[in-house]
Amino acid sequence: MRARAEIVFPNNLRDFRLKRGLTQAQLGRMMAPPIGESAISKIESGERRLTNLQLADLANILLCRPEDIPVISGRDPSLEVQRWDQMQQEAVGNSILSGAAATGYVLAQLRKKNGKTMQQVANAIGMTLSVYHRVETASRVIQAHEIDAVADFYGMITTELITLFEHRTEENLEKLKGGAAPEQLLPRAPRSLLKDDAKWGQLGALERYAIRRSIKFAAAPAERGQLPVFGSMKATGDGGHYFAIDRDEAVEHIPAQDLIPNEGCFLVRNFSQRLGFFLRPGALAYVDPRRPVAMGDIAFLVRKDGSADAGMVIGDGIGPLMLKMYNPEEQIPLAEPDIAHVWRIGMLILP
């Protein structure tokens, strides 16, 4: 069962698409890389956000400026802005009334209390990461057998977990009657892709900056020694798989190409899908573990349980640095206790 997700991207895409005479399926096929009709539908309904590159790609296809696509107060017709605001309130209200908001809140608190990542919980209860992410963010209602799996994972009785959901739902409804803003009752406050807040506005710029700063391309010159390659997919006990970077287990050694193999440097074959086309699975990345990560870097994180992922280092210049990942979107503090290493990616090596 799917609850209406929050409106994260109020936009004018449908109007621009119809002016070009395109269907949702046609528009999706024209994008690079192509995306499905259902994804375009979610984007147009405001429930799915876009990367900067996707936004630029859509603007190029639809013959408009990227900044014309989001609905912005003070620029777009007031009726259009009001329509999106109303849709947002309806989505938030549905999440609260259905209990999805309470469920997401309880699950997020349990996960943090037990020091688990969303990926670990998803693997343990037999969900994909994206589905579990929708449960925690109140855009999908959890099913009965899934509640049993979660309770078992945390060593709880199912009725005990359901009671937590019910109590949180009752609290939300009481707060709603008392005049609390509905968005304050969600597991996290709704966010739009583009906000007036300067802090959020910096994130898109940081992502573009990271591509230019962290990723260089080397193209196969003379050999200068060998570098070890780490990174592989490992099986879990329940038949699943996870990406791991084990420094004690080199999977191969390859010529260093035009890189000078400094002491301690190594290569990683990426199998994480958390950065999409920023860093595709199978890409080979050069890592110098002596160089600390900084805002705007792309990096590998290795957890204490051996699992690994790729992410982007972000920050607002005031608070702690975070590692941002996508598909689904997630932000993790670099100081998270279950993180063993964070390694800056200095270069991608292309064949």
Side-chain angles (χ1 to χ4, degrees), residues 111-117 120 301-307 320-323 331-342:
R111 177 173 58 79
K112 293 173 184 177
K113 179 181 178 181
N114 287 272
K116 302 297 182 181
T117 65
Q120 290 170 324
L301 73 86
V302 181
R303 304 178 183 89
K304 291 180 180 178
D305 65 4
S307 63
L321 291 177
M322 309 282 286
L323 199 71
Q331 295 182 20
I332 301 174
L334 294 189
E336 193 85 359
D338 72 328
I339 296 179
H341 305 287
V342 179

Side-chain angles (χ1 to χ4, degrees), residues 174-247:
E174 286 299 317
K175 290 178 181 178
L176 201 60
K177 291 178 182 177
E183 58 269 20
Q184 294 178 353
L185 306 178
L186 290 178
R188 61 172 174 79
R191 298 175 300 177
S192 61
L193 179 68
L194 301 176
K195 279 200 171 188
D196 296 332
D197 187 336
K199 172 183 171 182
W200 288 105
Q202 292 172 4
L203 296 185
L206 274 176
E207 290 156 6
R208 293 191 294 272
Y209 172 64
I211 298 174
R212 296 194 301 269
R213 179 177 186 272
S214 295
I215 303 300
K216 302 176 183 177
F217 298 94
E223 295 185 10
R224 295 187 183 178
Q226 302 272 323
L227 280 174
V229 181
F230 303 96
S232 61
M233 292 296 288
K234 294 191 174 183
T236 61
D238 57 2
H241 292 82
Y242 66 95
F243 173 43
I245 301 175
D246 185 350
R247 291 292 305 280

